[in-house]
């Protein structure tokens, strides 16, 4: 399933970026560039060749993990992406942890208290929080915690006194600071992570509240739960251990699908928090009309989404003994 | 008994509460959502009459005045009245979100009907394409489209609508697959109805009910995507009044503490999205209690 999906998405991207109206070269060079210059640049980028040939070349390039050169900077596209990717991954990992913890526990609690005020309150939270645009949530948290209370930083991955170059190894600042045992820098990095990852985590938790609640309701009706109840096991243990474990499996599958939402949220969160990740890179390059980089970033997003869905399938098979491939 | 406004109103209220007793909380969610949506739709329809200032008036008041007095939501850095911009901004976002939802539902529903009904190779390929699109982050897709198409109301509508086509397609195709096995479809075939007649008169009416719910939730989502695109500076030329663009502009004044520039546009985007979501949730619980537990 994953391979045809990737192939189709890559083809769609090709169609959107190359076949659809809109000419990258003339828009990059501005309306005043002489035709000869435009033609020369097109020739150089291979945009003058017939589309089927461009398409085959595009696929071959991707298979070789070569995303071409930036049109604006003298740099490989893979290099600029590799620089920014760790920041985005760090943000999405922390965001998803917050989402999962919040969403799963609130969902389980609501299901346990079905049709009681707590249930309605949590379901209302689920609807409202999902409808709050992630960038606005970010701005409001910045306003409250960064400006009014002035307790948390509102931009960037580190403070001005922590030099990223000191620990640039993997690009994952948490790992890097631990590797060089610079714990004050680690604290600084973690503090900078709080607001962006809380923003991302809060907004997406609504989806998981609903999912967990719906699954828990099904599971709580099952015979083995009634049996456990009859044997006199404590109610809390039944709900949060026996039932939640079983309700969690479909939630995990949804996590794979929701990962796309998480990535989209990350792009918006990055813009709000000046977080130097893939989303910021994408937007910067859109303003500069650097088409090879734009294309490269979207391709990397496709690969990430595909990888996550594959990963979820594998984890699914491991934790659910009924599934064997 | 002659009709009078008072008895009419009383009847209406008793029917309302009667529905509330019948369906419980879901009914009130539906009503609350409908009221929010109605209020903002009225705001958009009568913008000219409600707004105290012209939204483009760069002389409406002092620069960056906090809420109060003549300007209940303050003024921005170009001396424009924030409340008037909020009122006029509702037109832009509603128009784009609703148009996008209509556009994607028409394409998605018709493709889903034809694909589910005809089956075969065409159906397999189309389903695979739609599933792939569905799995990819909608916002990134919309960003790619908006980048290529350039700013403009029509272009942003297209960019937003593309990402919802798979939602309708999957829903309608699945239902078509099961409905086409029904006895009454077979009866229609037996009396010699054409394929078009079967699709249009026998299958389509049975499919449309569930898409109503999705349509409402779809508008809610489209509102947030539209605002996200304009917030990122991709969607619209600056001459158009838009909540997302106002939010992006207000963001620059956050460090200096001008809270009203981001609070109000963002709150409006959320309110509108919440309104449509509540409408959809309420409808779905009432029309089809199992749909949301998928």
């Amino acid at each position: 399933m994953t391979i045809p999906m990737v192939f189709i998405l890559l083809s769609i991207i090709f169609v959107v970026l190359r076949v659809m109206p809109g000419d990258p070269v003339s828009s990059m060079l501005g309306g005043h560039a002489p035709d000869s210059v435009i033609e020369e640049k097109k020739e150089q980028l291979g945009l003058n060749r017939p589309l089927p040939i461009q398409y085959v070349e595009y696929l071959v390039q991707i298979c070789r993990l070569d995303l071409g050169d930036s049109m604006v900077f003298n740099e490989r596209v893979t290099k600029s992406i590799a620089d920014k990717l760790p920041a985005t991954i760090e943000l999405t990992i922390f965001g998803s942890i917050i989402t999962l913890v919040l969403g799963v526990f609130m969902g389980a609690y609501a299901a346990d208290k079905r049709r009681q005020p707590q249930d309605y309150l949590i379901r209302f939270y689920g609807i409202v929080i999902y409808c709050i645009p992630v960038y606005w949530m970010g701005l409001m948290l910045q306003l409250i915690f960064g400006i009014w209370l002035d307790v948390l930083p509102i931009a960037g991955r580190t403070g001005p006194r922590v030099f990223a170059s000191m620990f640039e190894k993997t690009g994952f600042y948490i790992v890097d600071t631990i590797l060089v045992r610079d714990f004050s820098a680690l604290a600084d990095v973690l503090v900078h992570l709080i607001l962006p990852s809380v923003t991302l985590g809060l907004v997406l938790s609504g989806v998981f509240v609903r999912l967990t609640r719906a699954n828990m309701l099904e599971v709580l009706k099952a015979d083995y739960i009634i049996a456990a109840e009859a044997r006199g096991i404590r109610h809390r243990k039944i709900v949060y251990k026996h039932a939640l474990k079983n309700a969690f499996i479909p939630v995990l599958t949804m996590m794979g699908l929701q990962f796309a939402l998480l990535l989209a949220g990350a792009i918006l969160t990055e813009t709000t928090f000046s977080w130097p990740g893939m989303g910021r890179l994408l937007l910067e390059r859109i303003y500069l009309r650097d088409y090879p980089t734009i294309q490269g970033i979207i391709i990397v997003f496709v690969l990430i989404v595909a990888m996550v869905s594959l990963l979820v399938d594998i984890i699914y098979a491991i934790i659910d003994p009924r599934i064997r491939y | 008994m002659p009709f009078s406004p008072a008895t009419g109103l009383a009847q209406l209220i008793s029917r309302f509460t009667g529905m509330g007793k019948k369906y419980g909380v879901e009914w009130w969610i539906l009503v609350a959502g409908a009221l929010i949506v109605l209020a903002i739709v009225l705001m958009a329809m009568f913008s000219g009459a409600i707004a105290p200032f012209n939204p483009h008036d760069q002389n409406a008041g002092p620069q960056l005045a906090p809420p109060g007095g003549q300007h209940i939501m303050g003024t921005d850095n170009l001396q424009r009245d924030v409340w008037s911009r909020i009122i006029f901004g509702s037109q832009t976002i509603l128009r784009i979100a609703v148009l996008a939802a209509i556009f994607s539902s028409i394409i998605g529903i018709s493709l889903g009907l034809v694909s589910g009904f005809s089956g075969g190779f065409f159906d397999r390929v189309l389903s695979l394409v739609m599933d792939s699109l569905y799995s990819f982050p909608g916002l990134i897709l919309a960003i790619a489209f908006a980048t290529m198409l350039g700013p403009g109301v029509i272009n942003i509508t297209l960019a937003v609508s593309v990402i919802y086509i798979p939602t309708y397609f999957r829903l309608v195709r699945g239902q078509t697959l099961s409905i086409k096995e029904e006895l009454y479809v077979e009866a229609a075939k037996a009396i010699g109805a054409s394929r078009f007649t079967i699709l249009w008169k026998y299958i389509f009416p049975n499919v449309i009910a569930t898409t109503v719910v999705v349509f409402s939730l779809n508008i809610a989502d489209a509102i947030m995507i539209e605002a996200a695109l304009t917030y990122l500076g991709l969607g619209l030329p600056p001459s158009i009044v838009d909540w997302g663009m106002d939010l992006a502009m207000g963001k620059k004044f956050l460090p200096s503490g001008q809270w009203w520039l981001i609070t109000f546009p963002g709150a409006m985007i959320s309110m509108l999205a919440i309104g449509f979501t509540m409408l959809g949730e309420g409808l779905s619980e009432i029309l089809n209690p199992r749909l949301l537990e998928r």
Side-chain angles (χ1 to χ4, degrees):
Chain A
M1 237 344 258
T2 313
I3 289 170
M5 201 180 92
V6 170
F7 174 74
I8 287 171
L9 279 174
L10 291 176
S11 309
I12 291 171
I13 291 165
F14 179 84
V15 171
V16 173
L17 294 182
R18 302 243 184 130
V19 185
M20 267 176 38
D23 173 7
V25 177
S26 11
S27 55
M28 184 192 80
L29 297 174
H32 305 295
D35 285 348
S36 61
V37 178
I38 292 178
E39 282 307 310
E40 197 182 313
K41 191 83 189 168
K42 273 190 177 173
E43 196 63 53
Q44 198 187 328
L45 288 161
L47 294 177
N48 274 350
R49 272 166 286 178
L51 280 174
I53 294 178
Q54 279 190 45
Y55 178 60
V56 173
E57 272 179 1
Y58 160 86
L59 289 179
V60 169
Q61 256 196 348
I62 294 169
C63 290
R64 293 205 316 245
L65 292 178
D66 169 16
L67 300 173
D69 294 310
S70 159
M71 242 157 89
V72 179
F73 300 100
N74 192 9
E75 195 177 47
R76 306 288 293 167
V77 170
T78 34
K79 167 91 174 46
S80 36
I81 291 178
D83 283 348
K84 306 287 182 183
L85 192 57
T88 301
I89 294 179
E90 225 168 53
L91 177 62
T92 41
I93 287 178
F94 276 80
S96 48
I97 291 173
I98 292 176
T99 292
L100 266 183
V101 171
L102 266 180
V104 167
F105 279 100
M106 284 171 89
Y109 182 72
D112 184 29
K113 305 277 179 212
R114 187 176 191 197
R115 301 216 173 261
Q116 287 171 29
Q118 294 101 314
D119 179 28
Y120 289 121
L121 204 71
I122 291 177
R123 284 172 71 191
F124 189 67
Y125 162 88
I127 294 181
V128 170
I129 201 88
Y130 180 74
C131 291
I132 293 180
V134 64
Y135 39 93
W136 186 57
M137 171 80 92
L139 289 173
M140 292 313 281
L141 290 179
Q142 281 182 336
L143 187 67
I144 296 168
F145 294 101
I147 308 295
W148 288 344
L149 301 177
D150 199 15
V151 284
L152 288 170
I154 60 169
R157 290 177 79 188
T158 59
R161 269 184 294 165
V162 177
F163 295 108
S165 56
M166 259 166 44
F167 44 83
E168 192 108 356
K169 269 192 191 131
T170 59
F172 296 95
Y173 284 3
I174 293 178
V175 179
D176 289 339
T177 46
I178 293 174
L179 282 180
V180 297
R181 297 184 199 292
D182 185 348
F183 292 107
S184 70
L186 175 65
D188 186 64
V189 168
L190 287 176
V191 163
H192 277 81
L193 250 171
I194 295 176
L195 278 187
S197 49
V198 166
T199 304
L200 193 55
L202 268 181
V203 169
L204 288 175
S205 66
V207 182
F208 286 89
V209 167
R210 272 170 62 166
L211 265 173
T212 316
R213 181 180 171 278
N215 284 316
M216 278 292 276
L217 287 178
E218 293 286 312
V219 173
L220 285 174
K221 276 186 243 157
D223 288 343
Y224 59 85
I225 296 295
I226 301 169
E229 201 92 52
R231 273 187 286 144
I233 300 174
R234 266 191 306 139
H235 182 69
R236 190 181 295 173
K237 199 173 168 193
I238 293 172
V239 173
Y240 294 102
K241 202 160 165 225
H242 298 230
L244 191 54
K245 236 185 198 170
N246 286 287
F248 191 67
I249 295 171
V251 173
L252 192 78
T253 338
M254 276 310 280
M255 184 82 206
L257 279 178
Q258 297 303 329
F259 194 79
L261 259 183
L262 201 67
L263 273 184
I267 289 185
L268 294 167
T269 314
E270 283 175 10
T271 338
T272 304
F273 286 94
S274 313
W275 190 261
M278 297 277 284
R280 273 270 307 260
L281 183 69
L282 176 63
L283 286 165
E284 270 169 31
R285 296 306 163 91
I286 285 176
Y287 299 132
L288 295 171
R289 306 251 156 215
D290 181 1
Y291 282 83
T293 314
I294 298 171
Q295 178 186 297
I297 294 168
I298 299 179
I299 289 169
V300 170
F301 278 130
V302 169
L303 297 179
I304 293 176
V305 169
M307 246 159 52
V308 169
S309 84
L310 198 67
L311 206 69
V312 167
D313 280 350
I314 294 171
I315 298 175
Y316 197 63
I318 293 173
I319 64 169
D320 189 342
R322 284 168 300 185
I323 294 172
R324 284 283 164 267
Y325 289 105
Chain B
M1 198 174 78
F3 179 82
S4 78
T7 52
L9 195 68
Q11 265 177 7
L12 200 68
I13 289 171
S14 75
R15 268 191 84 172
F16 247 65
T17 45
M19 295 286 267
K21 283 209 188 81
K22 191 171 165 200
Y23 294 111
V25 181
E26 275 71 33
W27 172 252
W28 297 113
I29 291 180
L30 176 76
V31 171
L35 285 179
I36 294 175
V37 170
L38 187 72
I40 297 177
V41 167
L42 287 177
M43 195 162 124
M45 283 169 74
F46 300 104
S47 300
I50 312 168
F53 296 93
N54 180 326
H56 298 291
D57 184 4
Q58 301 206 355
N59 231 334
Q63 200 181 14
L64 293 172
Q70 249 196 318
H71 305 281
I72 54 170
M73 289 186 182
T75 56
D76 66 5
N77 57 320
L78 296 173
Q79 299 177 308
R80 296 173 301 194
D81 181 50
V82 175
W83 170 227
S84 305
R85 289 186 69 78
I86 293 275
I87 292 172
F88 275 93
S90 62
Q91 295 180 344
T92 315
I93 198 162
L94 271 175
R95 190 178 297 144
I96 291 172
V98 172
L99 268 181
I102 292 175
F103 194 71
S104 47
S105 62
I106 291 176
I107 294 183
I109 292 173
S110 28
L111 282 179
L113 274 173
V114 173
S115 188
F117 189 67
S118 56
F121 181 71
F122 169 74
D123 178 46
R124 291 239 296 279
V125 171
L126 203 58
S127 302
L128 200 58
V129 171
M130 290 292 175
D131 283 348
S132 313
L133 272 180
Y134 188 73
S135 67
F136 194 61
L139 179 70
I140 298 174
L141 206 63
I143 287 177
F145 268 91
T147 309
M148 291 311 289
L149 293 171
V153 174
I154 300 294
N155 291 350
I156 190 177
T157 310
L158 288 178
V160 173
S161 59
V162 168
I163 58 185
Y164 299 107
I165 293 175
T167 318
Y168 290 101
F169 175 84
R170 287 160 55 109
L171 183 75
V172 170
R173 177 179 171 273
Q175 291 206 314
T176 310
L177 281 181
S178 63
I179 292 174
K180 80 173 177 186
E181 304 298 330
E182 296 279 343
L183 208 56
Y184 58 82
V185 174
E186 197 155 335
K189 268 186 205 151
I191 58 168
S194 71
R195 288 163 65 87
F196 179 78
T197 315
I198 295 176
L199 263 183
W200 182 244
K201 294 223 163 125
Y202 291 79
I203 298 180
F204 177 72
N206 289 299
V207 165
I208 198 76
T210 42
T211 56
V212 173
V213 172
V214 175
F215 188 76
S216 181
L217 297 176
N218 174 191
I219 294 179
D221 221 62
I223 283 164
M224 287 190 286
I225 296 282
E226 189 270 354
L229 286 179
T230 53
Y231 172 74
L232 296 174
L234 288 173
L236 294 171
S239 58
I240 293 176
V241 186
D242 179 81
W243 293 345
M245 286 200 299
D246 279 1
L247 197 58
M249 220 170 51
K251 185 186 157 196
K252 294 180 200 135
F253 297 92
L254 180 113
S256 48
Q258 269 94 13
W259 56 272
W260 56 93
L261 294 181
I262 55 164
T263 308
F264 297 120
M268 289 308 290
I269 299 168
S270 310
M271 276 296 276
L272 191 54
I274 289 170
F276 276 108
T277 306
M278 285 168 79
L279 193 65
E281 301 267 321
L283 274 177
S284 82
E285 290 277 339
I286 287 167
L287 295 177
N288 182 1
R290 297 232 14 117
L291 188 74
L292 276 179
E293 292 181 17
R294 72 199 141 106

